[in-house]
Amino acid sequence: MGSTPPADNLVTENPDHVHIMPPDDVHVICPTDYFSGPGKKVLLLLNQEIKLPVAAVQQVWDASQLRICADGGANQLYEYSLKHGLDWLPDFVIGDLDSLRPEVSIFYKSKGVKVKQQASQYYSDLDKAITLSNLALLDPTINLDDYDDYDGVSKHEESVTDTIQDKVSVFMMGSIGGRFDHTVSTISKLIKLHHTRPNFQFIVRNSEYNEYILFIPKGRNFVTLLQEKEYHRGEKLVKGKLPLVGLLPLACPVRLSTSGLKWDVTNWESSIEGKVSANNLLVGDNGFLVDTTGPIFVNIEI
Amino acid sequence: MGSTPPADNLVTENPDHVHIMPPDDVHVICPTDYFSGPGKKVLLLLNQEIKLPVAAVQQVWDASQLRICADGGANQLYEYSLKHGLDWLPDFVIGDLDSLRPEVSIFYKSKGVKVKQQASQYYSDLDKAITLSNLALLDPTINLDDYDDYDGVSKHEESVTDTIQDKVSVFMMGSIGGRFDHTVSTISKLIKLHHTRPNFQFIVRNSEYNEYILFIPKGRNFVTLLQEKEYHRGEKLVKGKLPLVGLLPLACPVRLSTSGLKWDVTNWESSIEGKVSANNLLVGDNGFLVDTTGPIFVNIEI
């Protein structure tokens, strides 16, 4: 790649407002579709303190058809509910349950929440929660007592031949920003899930900072926080601070081309061992286009 | 690599105590050397809230010969000092200074702290702070007024032919766990710094969770939290919970062999798109050995 002419590897600085409309054939990634777009909606809570305001969590809670705590994620929901006087109950608590506190387990069981141990260490708690999401969407009357406490739920899924035809959006809280191996495991898992569960889309919410972390597949993608009906027709909107955006080549080295960022790139080599466009800004009025030769992650400020 | 016989790709479960001594020729990585080991010690504070207890930060502060705030890192030190009644003053504040709050700048300047703008966006604030570390260790009387406010400090370093012969340990706080592109930028930078500043060793402290995040170069490494004089001579020590360890192949796919972990691996393929050993545990009484075909990161619970 060292022989690429410099003109192929451009960075262009844009003004603070650029009109961008998504082409018809582009893959649209819109995390706010979770709140009113089509498809199934699943909230996964992992074991990290929930530090967001109630209104923000409530919006996600209300939009979800299924709410699952992965192991100690139940502790976090319990603490958050206590602190804010909420009576929210998840549909399921699942995992090896080595982190679930006894009083939390007793409390949720007493309220009728299904708390299911899956002791196997072959699968992570996140794996187990995603498997259960799929099964519970396929069969809302699923009875987890039918499956053993070791890896019965995962084994059952292997025997199921039905698949969900709808798009499934999974909103993950508590999976980025705490223990560093948890963060890296989440990233690694999202790369693999793109292949193993192609109809699932994952929205990761930083539990502390106002940003989404999104998996962007190879190809042409349009990343936006607006739903289609909200697209602007070229007018300049009064806006505050430009939202921060990072283009993060965590899976493999890539070449990127973008439109709608303050520093747009064209056929730009990016890798974790080389150049990374962090600290970029969104200037596209409706979002930005990113064409990538391999999967990347994007963080975008809310 | 798919043709490798399975026997080469082993995971072995160990008991909770294994006696491990580092071989003579191994590269030792010991973050607690910062507190009393040889070499120069530099504390870099970045722009993330400091959530550690005063005793933990004090230990780092006292061990440091040079303390540098990168841009908004000064805001964090200021807030932390106010909250805990500390009169700590950094040696320098450097960066593009777009995050430094005016009252913080005025306060530190009034106390004689050198606040130096370097406006260039070609270098990150972390780059600028590391460049200044090198220059201020080479010349403790350096006068930053001699260099322009755009990129004078970096340009000056390019003209310097002296190099520090000592090992330099840089303790970084506030660089992992906040905004996700900051975390990824830090990781990317550490991979590159291994080549560009081979005598610098970086210790990253998670600012919220009790762990170090360490860069592990290609080859045979011994990772420990004990200084050499503290190595145990085989006796079983009374210990509490086993410290968590993650082996994180963020730079490139690798093959790993370890000794001293609960789940030791032998010639084990690991990559972010494949298998990652997160959630492992330290069982070696003095630390653990890791032999890797490429750079990785390790997180280790304190």
Side-chain angles (χ1 to χ4, degrees), chain B residues 56-191:
Chain B
V57 185
Q58 174 106 47
Q59 189 187 24
V60 182
W61 188 268
D62 290 347
S64 306
Q65 283 141 280
L66 196 58
R67 299 143 187 141
I68 299 179
C69 296
D71 198 354
N75 302 340
Q76 304 298 345
L77 179 63
Y78 179 82
E79 292 299 333
Y80 190 78
S81 300
L82 266 187
K83 185 172 169 185
H84 297 286
L86 305 165
D87 58 359
W88 295 348
L89 298 175
D91 297 292
F92 298 100
V93 179
I94 193 167
D96 59 7
L97 306 190
D98 65 341
S99 303
L100 181 65
R101 296 209 314 268
E103 73 273 24
V104 174
S105 177
I106 291 165
F107 172 79
Y108 281 130
K109 281 178 181 168
S110 78
K111 297 288 185 180
V113 173
K114 185 68 208 166
V115 177
K116 180 68 177 176
Q117 186 175 44
Q118 290 285 276
S120 167
Q121 294 301 310
Y122 183 79
Y123 307 98
S124 71
D125 289 334
L126 179 54
D127 290 323
K128 294 164 192 169
I130 292 169
T131 296
L132 177 56
S133 305
N134 187 40
L135 291 172
L137 289 174
L138 280 169
D139 175 10
T141 65
I142 189 169
N143 181 0
L144 294 185
D145 295 332
D146 293 347
Y147 312 107
D148 70 53
D149 287 348
Y150 183 71
D151 60 2
V153 176
S154 298
K155 285 283 178 291
H156 170 59
E157 193 191 32
E158 287 169 19
S159 73
V160 168
T161 51
D162 273 12
T163 54
I164 298 172
Q165 299 304 319
D166 287 349
K167 188 179 93 171
V168 179
S169 297
V170 179
F171 198 106
M172 290 169 62
M173 293 180 70
S175 57
I176 289 272
R179 244 175 67 196
F180 193 57
D181 57 344
H182 279 178
T183 294
V184 175
S185 291
T186 298
I187 291 299
S188 176
K189 185 66 61 187
L190 292 179
I191 296 169

Side-chain angles (χ1 to χ4, degrees), chain A residues 38-283:
Chain A
K40 308 287 189 190
K41 314 293 171 61
V42 181
L43 171 60
L44 291 192
L45 290 169
L46 287 97
N47 192 7
Q48 246 180 60
E49 190 182 343
I50 307 167
K51 294 183 186 169
L52 302 173
V54 174
V57 185
Q58 175 107 47
Q59 188 188 23
V60 181
W61 189 268
D62 290 347
S64 305
Q65 284 140 280
L66 196 59
R67 299 144 187 138
I68 299 179
C69 295
D71 197 355
N75 302 338
Q76 305 299 344
L77 178 63
Y78 179 82
E79 292 299 333
Y80 190 78
S81 301
L82 266 186
K83 185 171 168 185
H84 297 286
L86 305 165
D87 58 358
W88 294 348
L89 297 175
D91 297 292
F92 298 99
V93 179
I94 193 166
D96 59 8
L97 305 189
D98 65 341
S99 304
L100 181 65
R101 295 208 315 267
E103 73 273 23
V104 174
S105 177
I106 291 165
F107 173 78
Y108 282 129
K109 281 178 181 169
S110 78
K111 297 287 184 181
V113 173
K114 186 67 207 167
V115 177
K116 180 67 176 176
Q117 186 176 44
Q118 290 286 274
S120 167
Q121 294 301 310
Y122 184 78
Y123 307 98
S124 72
D125 289 334
L126 178 55
D127 290 325
K128 294 164 191 169
I130 292 168
T131 295
L132 177 54
S133 305
N134 187 40
L135 291 172
L137 289 174
L138 280 168
D139 174 10
T141 66
I142 189 169
N143 181 359
L144 294 185
D145 294 334
D146 293 347
Y147 311 107
D148 71 53
D149 288 348
Y150 182 70
D151 60 2
V153 176
S154 299
K155 285 284 178 291
H156 170 58
E157 193 191 32
E158 287 170 19
S159 73
V160 168
T161 50
D162 274 11
T163 54
I164 298 171
Q165 299 304 319
D166 286 350
K167 188 179 94 171
V168 179
S169 296
V170 179
F171 198 105
M172 291 169 61
M173 293 180 71
S175 58
I176 289 271
R179 244 176 66 197
F180 193 57
D181 57 344
H182 279 177
T183 294
V184 175
S185 291
T186 298
I187 291 299
S188 175
K189 186 66 62 186
L190 292 180
I191 296 169
K192 289 173 276 193
L193 283 164
H194 177 63
H195 299 291
T196 56
R197 300 198 187 262
N199 62 325
F200 278 57
Q201 187 167 36
F202 294 86
I203 301 155
V204 177
R205 180 74 159 86
N206 192 321
S207 41
E208 169 152 6
Y209 185 83
N210 277 332
E211 68 180 0
Y212 292 121
I213 295 142
L214 305 169
F215 176 85
I216 309 294
K218 176 179 168 173
R220 288 182 84 199
N221 299 275
F222 183 68
V223 181
T224 178
L225 298 180
L226 298 175
Q227 293 191 264
E228 198 171 342
K229 60 179 185 291
E230 300 169 323
Y231 288 157
H232 311 307
R233 304 297 157 186
E235 74 274 33
K236 176 160 179 155
L237 298 171
V238 180
K239 291 270 187 177
K241 208 173 127 285
L242 298 172
L244 286 152
V245 171
L247 307 172
L248 311 173
L250 286 163
C252 55
V254 292
R255 277 178 178 259
L256 301 173
S257 297
T258 63
S259 301
L261 298 180
K262 182 70 185 171
W263 295 279
D264 268 332
V265 295
T266 306
N267 205 18
W268 192 73
E269 290 166 22
S270 180
S271 72
I272 192 85
E273 296 190 273
K275 287 178 291 185
V276 175
S277 179
N279 267 317
N280 212 323
L281 298 169
L282 178 65
V283 295

